[in-house]
Amino acid sequence: MNILLIGSGGREHALAWALSRSPLLSRLVCAPGNAGISELAECVSLDTGDQPTVIAYCRDQKIDFVVIGPEGPLVAGLGDALSAAGIRYFGPSKAAARLEGSKGFTKDLCRDFGIPTGAYGRFHDKAAAKAYLAGVTGRVVVKADGLAAGKGVIIPETTAEAEAAIDACFDGAFGAAGAEVVIEAFLDGEEASFFALSDGAEVVALATAQDHKRVGDGDTGLNTGGMGAYSPAPVMTPAMVDRTMSEIIRPTIAAMAKRGTPFKGVLFAGLMIGSEGPKLIEFNTRFGDPETQVLMLRLETDLLAALLAAADGTLSGLKLGWSADVALSVVMAANGYPGAYAKGTEIRGLAEAAQCEGVQIFHAGTALENGKVIATGGRVLNISARGRTVAEAQTRAYAAIDRIDWPGGFCRRDIGWRAVGRS
Ligand code: AMP
Ligand code: GLY
């Protein structure tokens, strides 16, 4: 089969790595890809926001199946456009991608179908939002309703900060995404990322992971897209996985089907595990980044066959094999991230680092320039490793990092600390 993978991050490098091992694959193309992906796939510079161009490319290149990595094209309806053109794809329709594209939509769905999440309100103006805030006793989180590239969530410490967050959203800090604001109760507990594959009716649990959202060691500093992850997440015991499936994932898949907008693709639940069990923080309707990097290192069955089954409605009976190993991935980011950062700095030593035992390097924001690997993004590399324990995977990943010569970048030195602390 000829596959077109859309995206350019570490998630897509990991997906390309898993897809490239599929016996079903004949040709893998990635748009736009990055320096690491170019070792596994042909990279093409398609404007993936331009749906007619993507369709024309698929027809011209005889693409059999399109795998859409990021949320942007999904929420914009690339899947629907492909489907209308008779091209198979992996991911949700535009209507189903609202589970990620509108936080208010998801909160209402949780309310209507009894799915556990924090109390909330949805607002279209400052006055109504502030009036709600005045009536809330506990801590709150203020969120722009729409897609804001991971930046639309503000966790205020005081009422004044919460009011400022409301003002910022409505004053356009997150563009159109902030035209509606969701205020929700702050949830206490330990976060985990949970993934399940659905074909619209059936649903199969994938694996669990834990991300590290803050930029600094010890979970300090600004929120980021994720500075590292490992899988499995010890907090997701088999009982907690069962509860997540029966209380959150299956009811959501059933609700979407009942509404006539069945969810096909990967449903990524951001969970808070507290004293009452799992509560939904948010859904994403795509694979997580950097969680996918660790999931793919543990997946033992053919990824392409699984994605095809989800797209074709034949997920029933699918069994996925996962390695008992732990996988851990450390994000190397450009100095300054998540604030302003320099682009174009050179990275050396990647080949030496890749030789470390159990290590796999995924590129997140790189390009090749005159044979040199250059940083082109905020999150740039995912140094990933497998090990029998989280401590072993962590030691291996950091041994590889210590071989990388990149003065323009940094990483957290404590990825996996919760799990290491438990063992
Ligand atoms: P999101 O982009 O919705 O995943 O939010 C980013 C991060 O903000 C999450 O990973 C959590 O760490 C935090 N967060 C969001 N909503 C809540 C909540 N209701 N309670 C506690 N933390 C939250
Ligand atoms: N790692 C969180 C996300 O992909 O949104």
Side-chain angles (χ1 to χ4, degrees):
M1 292 183 83
N2 296 334
I3 310 294
L4 172 64
L5 171 64
I6 290 183
S8 64
R11 165 182 53 210
E12 286 76 22
H13 191 181
L15 292 173
W17 180 76
L19 290 170
S20 68
R21 293 179 299 162
S22 171
L24 302 172
L25 184 80
S26 345
R27 180 175 172 218
L28 182 61
V29 184
C30 185
N34 63 38
I37 295 173
S38 70
E39 293 176 11
L40 300 168
E42 297 162 50
C43 292
V44 291
S45 56
L46 268 184
D47 176 0
T48 55
D50 179 355
Q51 296 172 358
T53 300
V54 177
I55 290 167
Y57 180 85
C58 291
R59 288 195 170 133
D60 184 54
Q61 297 293 314
K62 302 198 165 34
I63 297 295
D64 300 299
F65 190 57
V66 181
V67 178
I68 304 173
E71 62 277 16
L74 290 168
V75 171
L78 177 58
D80 306 59
L82 289 168
S83 202
I87 300 162
R88 290 157 84 195
Y89 75 99
F90 174 78
S93 66
K94 181 175 181 171
R98 290 193 77 198
L99 285 172
E100 175 160 4
S102 168
K103 295 186 192 298
F105 170 86
T106 294
K107 297 296 275 188
D108 284 356
L109 184 117
C110 289
R111 178 198 61 202
D112 294 347
F113 293 87
I115 295 164
T117 187
Y120 74 104
R122 295 179 75 170
F123 307 98
H124 289 95
D125 63 77
K126 290 183 188 177
K130 289 181 186 174
Y132 176 85
L133 186 66
V136 172
T137 44
R139 278 186 78 185
V140 297
V141 181
V142 177
K143 300 184 175 184
D145 178 74
L147 293 186
K151 297 198 175 71
V153 174
I154 304 159
I155 306 182
E157 300 280 345
T158 62
T159 305
E161 278 180 31
E163 289 188 342
I166 292 168
D167 287 339
C169 283
F170 285 118
D171 289 343
F174 307 110
E180 182 178 335
V181 167
V182 172
I183 301 180
E184 67 180 43
F186 180 88
L187 300 171
D188 273 316
E190 182 172 340
E191 272 188 79
S193 302
F194 184 81
F195 298 85
L197 208 54
S198 179
D199 64 4
E202 294 291 327
V203 50
V204 174
L206 295 176
T208 65
Q210 199 163 47
D211 193 1
H212 298 62
K213 294 266 185 186
R214 302 297 196 98
V215 71
D217 283 12
D219 291 337
T220 55
L222 293 174
N223 237 358
T224 69
M227 294 301 291
Y230 59 92
S231 174
V235 70
M236 293 304 288
T237 57
M240 206 57 79
V241 168
D242 284 350
R243 284 191 63 180
T244 302
M245 285 297 283
S246 64
E247 295 172 24
I248 297 176
I249 304 292
R250 283 202 194 90
T252 300
I253 298 299
M256 295 301 281
K258 192 169 168 209
R259 289 183 168 183
T261 53
F263 182 89
K264 290 185 175 193
V266 61
L267 188 60
F268 162 6
L271 302 173
M272 192 65 87
I273 310 299
S275 53
E276 295 169 13
K279 287 194 177 172
L280 183 71
I281 298 177
E282 63 161 5
F283 279 131
N284 297 302
T285 60
R286 39 122 187 126
F287 280 103
D289 191 343
E291 289 94 331
T292 306
Q293 290 81 317
V294 288
L295 255 51
M296 292 305 117
L297 281 181
R298 294 187 53 228
L299 180 65
E300 289 178 333
T301 29
D302 182 2
L303 175 69
L304 181 51
L307 301 188
L308 285 165
D312 293 345
T314 56
L315 213 51
S316 178
L318 182 84
K319 286 267 176 297
L320 293 170
W322 297 94
S323 163
D325 278 358
V326 172
L328 181 141
S329 183
V330 180
V331 171
M332 295 188 79
N335 291 339
Y337 175 83
Y341 53 83
K343 288 188 183 180
T345 54
E346 186 187 349
I347 303 161
R348 294 195 201 85
L350 287 174
E352 292 82 350
Q355 282 164 11
C356 291
E357 190 178 358
V359 165
Q360 192 68 41
I361 297 177
F362 297 119
H363 291 222
T366 63
L368 278 176
E369 249 177 53
N370 306 319
K372 294 176 179 165
V373 177
I374 302 291
T376 58
R379 291 189 295 171
V380 174
L381 294 166
N382 308 134
I383 313 306
S384 316
R386 277 172 55 154
R388 279 159 300 180
T389 62
V390 66
E392 186 174 66
Q394 188 190 55
T395 303
R396 289 174 167 180
Y398 284 111
I401 284 173
D402 291 339
R403 292 189 177 191
I404 294 174
D405 175 13
W406 182 31
F410 74 100
C411 66
R412 275 180 64 163
R413 295 296 310 194
D414 65 344
I415 299 304
W417 67 270
R418 278 183 194 273
V420 171
R422 276 171 206 246
S423 53

